[in-house]
Every structure is written in structure tokens, then in C-alpha cells.
Amino acid sequence: MSTTENNNVPHDYFVLPNLGVSAFCLSGLFYLLPVSLFAPELLPRLGTFTDEYLKFVDEFYVYILFIFNASLYIHVVETLVAIALCRRNNLNFPTTLKWTLSVAVHGLFSLKFLVNPEQKIKQN
């Protein structure tokens, strides 16, 4: 890893979040919420669990829709912050793209590694 002249952050600094976080974000935010709201017939049939869950979604539809939309907007803002932090740390384009996609999916779970990269590098 080559470092920049301005700081001690390598040009290709990237940390992948835990796979459990990936599974949680992908299944919850990018599958369960949108499918529950817009295409509930795509949910797997798990007997009374699915029926009770869909009743819950019907009862609190507006609140769940708000949570879904707010989450998406927050992830967009976090992604823009990640791009700005990549530019501040002089990361190269492929690494910036990796951070952008990672933060778009994982949100703060990924962004925390980019906010203070010097501390993470010192730990390794």
C-alpha cells in the first residue's frame, strides 16, 4: 500500500464490514422492507408468522414506509459523505468506488472505518 503525501492513509485503504452486517442490511433494508410494503406476495409463506407479520405491516404501513424512505435517504447522505472523505484522504478511484458501494449498502457500519482511518491503520 502506497501512502499519500498529506497523510498516512494508503491510496487503497478499504475495510470490508462484517458479513453478518452485510446479511442484516441486505435482507432487512433491501429485501424485507420493500417487499413487505410493495409486493408482499413475494414473501416466503411461513404459516401464521407471515400472516401475523403482514397484519402488522398493514396496521403500521405509514410508519414502516416512513422508516424505509428515511433509511434510503440516510444511506444516500452517508454515501455522499463517504465520497467526500475519500477525496479528503486522496484515495484512488477504484477504492473510492468500493467505499461508495460499501457505504450505500452498510451505512454507518462501513462509514465508521472511513471517518478516522488513521486510528484503524494504527490498530493493524
Side-chain angles (χ1 to χ4, degrees):
M1 287 190 208
S2 61
T3 59
T4 63
E5 303 92 29
N6 299 341
N7 55 28
N8 295 327
V9 180
H11 288 292
D12 57 351
Y13 168 74
F14 180 73
V15 179
L16 189 64
N18 185 308
L19 289 177
V21 172
S22 299
F24 173 75
C25 291
L26 290 171
S27 64
L29 182 60
F30 297 109
Y31 173 72
L32 190 59
L33 279 177
V35 167
S36 299
L37 292 168
F38 306 117
E41 66 277 0
L42 296 177
L43 286 173
R45 302 304 302 168
L46 301 173
T48 55
F49 179 78
T50 303
D51 296 335
E52 292 299 318
Y53 176 72
L54 290 176
K55 285 179 192 173
F56 175 80
V57 170
D58 285 340
E59 187 173 341
F60 297 102
Y61 183 85
V62 172
Y63 301 110
I64 296 171
L65 182 62
F66 174 79
I67 290 169
F68 175 66
N69 285 329
S71 298
L72 289 180
Y73 286 122
I74 289 169
H75 276 252
V76 168
V77 170
E78 290 168 340
T79 302
L80 295 173
V81 169
I83 292 169
L85 289 172
C86 286
R87 291 186 49 84
R88 183 183 79 183
N89 290 314
N90 297 320
L91 300 181
N92 60 27
F93 179 75
T95 305
T96 301
L97 186 59
K98 284 194 266 185
W99 277 111
T100 302
L101 295 174
S102 181
V103 172
V105 172
H106 302 102
L108 285 175
F109 295 110
S110 182
L111 188 61
K112 70 180 181 179
F113 296 115
L114 190 56
V115 170
N116 193 359
E118 292 89 1
Q119 181 180 5
K120 179 69 176 168
I121 292 169
K122 286 179 187 176
Q123 290 176 354
N124 292 338

